[in-house]
Amino acid sequence: MSVQALMDFIENSPSPYHAAAQAARRLEAAGFAPLAECRRWEVEPGRGYYVTRNQSSLIAFRLPAGKPEGWLLTAAHSDSPTFAVKNDALEGDDRYLRLAVEGYGGMNRATWLDRPLTVAGRVLVRTAEGAESRLVYLDRDLLTIPSLAIHMQRDVNKNHDYNPQKDMQPLYGLTGSRSLTRLLAEELKVEQQALLAWDLVLCPRQKPVVLGAEGELFQAPRIDDLGCAWACLEGLLSAGGQEKLGQVYCLFDNEEVGSGTRQGALSTFLPDVLERLACCLGMDGQERRMALAGSMLLSADNGHAVHPNFTEKADPANRVYPNGGVVVKYSANQKYTTNALTAGVFKAICRRAGVPVQTFANRADEPGGSTLGNLLGQQVSIPMVDIGMAQLAMHAAVETAGSRDPDYLARACAAFYECRLVQREDGKYSL
Ligand code: CO
């Protein structure tokens, strides 16, 4: 699988809603049938289905031919740090119109300055029956956040503090421009009065590009975590079905703000889906718990590659690089779920598939980040391992990673979904 396929996925996923919709389209094209949480489910063994929550999180699954004895799951996130649009254009002084925005997640603010931006997300539209949500992406260079000239802030290159309210409000146009509401109404071909509410975020307009002397790198917005979201989905779609193990793909929104929402990794979304499937498939209480114990989950989110200009920031021994293969992430404080059991099983699967693996750990004096798995584990007690792609400039407006790693990760996920994992006893697996 080429890096171009991932770059197309990223370009077509300017918001979490678009990412989930795109995953849904790919799943439907591969024969997965849509289910709704608000309707009764009828499912057949051997078939694939998917369900969304809040339009921004999605869980897809392929049922085994027989009663499930375990689940092979992957989880990635659909959101990335950005700015949420609070209000339509406001007058700044006599001449300028700006959108009012607030930060979403922890981004490197300076990287959002002086580049073309636009808005994407969903709009709630009034209909004859009530209201319905429509995805919207204004596919044009619409906004920019101009930096203040160095002449007016001579210290800008020294520890500058970017205040989100002061520095980061995007310029929308000049007084007299059409309102954002009107642009959205025109795009959606509805009356302005029909727009009831929106969830809109800013997105950089830079197209994903391949770079490096031999094209060994690529650069794009939202590589964290659409790189993993794409690779896990590719893995599921390219894997064959199983006799005894169900295959589950989770895409969660709101990881960048702590996952504590109705559709985040801390929500009941995954346990609700597994519980419903157990009901549909006639699994009794013992069988449900046996299946959870016999499961494994890949918590897929990117890790920090050694930075070429700051090599000392990486741990001296556990260093990961672009195109070095799938990253397995360790944290003694369990911010990552990886342990010897789960890492060992995952490495054995990768070795069999011919996929290189590299190991990441933070420096002992760096706390490091957190991700999905350790939070998801509070809802569903399943053995997990934290993995991802090595990347640079995490949480910048555009990020950089290795061109070969998306393929490595997709192949690792496919091999994982195809493995015949059986937990023989606590601490003992056959693969
Ligand atoms: Co992430």
Side-chain angles (χ1 to χ4, degrees), residues 142 177 196 220 226 390:
L142 180 68
S177 306
L196 297 170
L226 295 182

Side-chain angles (χ1 to χ4, degrees), residues 69-373:
E69 294 181 5
W71 305 100
L72 299 168
L73 310 97
T74 64
H77 64 91
S78 58
D79 62 325
S80 300
T82 178
F83 293 87
V85 180
K86 293 193 285 192
N87 295 100
D88 205 335
L90 303 172
E91 293 188 13
D93 69 359
D94 289 352
R95 301 295 187 89
Y96 291 120
L97 293 174
R98 295 177 306 162
L99 295 187
V101 301
E102 62 180 321
Y104 173 92
M107 83 288 289
N108 181 343
R109 291 181 192 143
T111 62
W112 283 77
L113 300 172
D114 301 321
R115 55 170 71 241
L117 305 167
T118 188
V119 297
R122 66 172 172 189
V123 177
L124 210 74
V125 177
R126 197 171 59 216
T127 62
E129 299 81 46
E132 79 176 21
S133 170
R134 302 253 204 100
L135 298 200
V136 68
Y137 173 50
L138 296 183
D139 188 5
R140 52 178 285 196
D141 302 320
L142 180 68
L143 306 160
T144 192
I145 309 172
S147 61
L148 182 62
I150 190 169
H151 313 82
M152 298 173 196
Q153 48 170 355
R154 293 284 178 190
D155 62 345
V156 66
N157 291 320
K158 289 186 200 121
N159 297 327
H160 192 78
D161 178 21
Y162 293 93
N163 178 313
Q165 184 68 27
K166 182 79 182 155
D167 294 66
M168 306 308 296
Q169 303 298 309
L171 178 61
Y172 171 79
L174 300 177
T175 317
S177 306
R178 284 172 293 167
S179 67
L180 179 62
T181 304
R182 183 154 156 210
L183 292 189
L184 294 168
E186 287 172 9
E187 177 72 19
L188 294 168
K189 298 185 172 56
V190 298
E191 295 293 319
Q192 276 189 70
Q193 297 77 6
L195 300 192
L196 297 170
W198 67 44
D199 291 309
L200 295 174
V201 293
L202 302 189
C203 36
R205 290 285 292 165
Q206 181 178 322
K207 284 190 187 309
V209 290
V210 167
L211 9 118
E214 305 295 338
E216 57 269 66
L217 302 168
F218 74 105
Q219 184 175 66
R222 304 180 294 279
I223 293 175
D224 170 18
D225 190 29
L226 295 182
C228 291
W230 172 87
C232 293
L233 182 61
E234 286 298 320
L236 176 70
L237 295 176
S238 61
Q242 292 235 23
E243 278 297 308
K244 296 176 177 172
L245 297 174
Q247 299 150 316
V248 184
Y249 168 80
C250 308
L251 182 62
F252 288 110
D253 193 5
N254 303 129
E255 190 276 339
E256 300 292 358
V257 293
S259 296
T261 59
R262 178 177 168 260
Q263 59 279 354
L266 266 175
S267 75
T268 61
F269 191 22
L270 179 59
D272 286 348
V273 168
L274 294 180
E275 179 65 22
R276 270 178 100 148
L277 289 179
C279 287
C280 291
L281 299 168
M283 296 163 72
D284 67 25
Q286 289 241 37
E287 287 167 333
R288 293 171 200 204
R289 284 162 185 83
M290 285 157 61
L292 287 183
S295 298
M296 177 99 39
L297 183 141
L298 308 183
S299 163
D301 199 357
N302 290 342
H304 300 292
V306 174
H307 193 290
N309 300 344
F310 299 91
T311 56
E312 73 284 1
K313 289 282 181 186
D315 183 67
N318 298 286
R319 302 162 84 82
V320 301
Y321 292 91
N323 296 336
V326 179
V327 175
V328 176
K329 303 192 279 184
Y330 284 89
S331 150
N333 290 326
Q334 305 299 301
K335 294 284 188 230
Y336 301 134
T337 58
T338 311
N339 60 39
L341 262 187
T342 57
V345 167
F346 181 70
K347 285 181 185 172
I349 291 167
C350 287
R351 183 167 303 170
R352 197 189 284 166
V355 174
V357 171
Q358 44 186 348
T359 301
F360 175 88
N362 284 299
R363 284 175 58 105
D365 54 3
E366 284 281 343
S370 149
T371 176
L372 295 161

Side-chain angles (χ1 to χ4, degrees), residues 33-37 39-43 49-52 61 277:
L35 296 170
E37 284 198 286
R39 300 230 184 94
R40 182 165 285 279
W41 292 6
E42 311 282 352
V43 298
Y49 302 87
Y50 73 89
V51 59
T52 62
F61 49 89
L277 289 179

Side-chain angles (χ1 to χ4, degrees), residues 381-413:
S381 189
I382 288 175
M384 299 184 186
V385 51
D386 271 277
I387 63 160
M389 294 194 307
Q391 70 159 92
L392 297 165
M394 191 180 285
H395 292 193
V398 296
E399 305 172 325
T400 298
S403 306
R404 292 210 297 277
D405 286 323
D407 177 63
Y408 286 145
L409 184 54
R411 280 168 42 209
C413 291

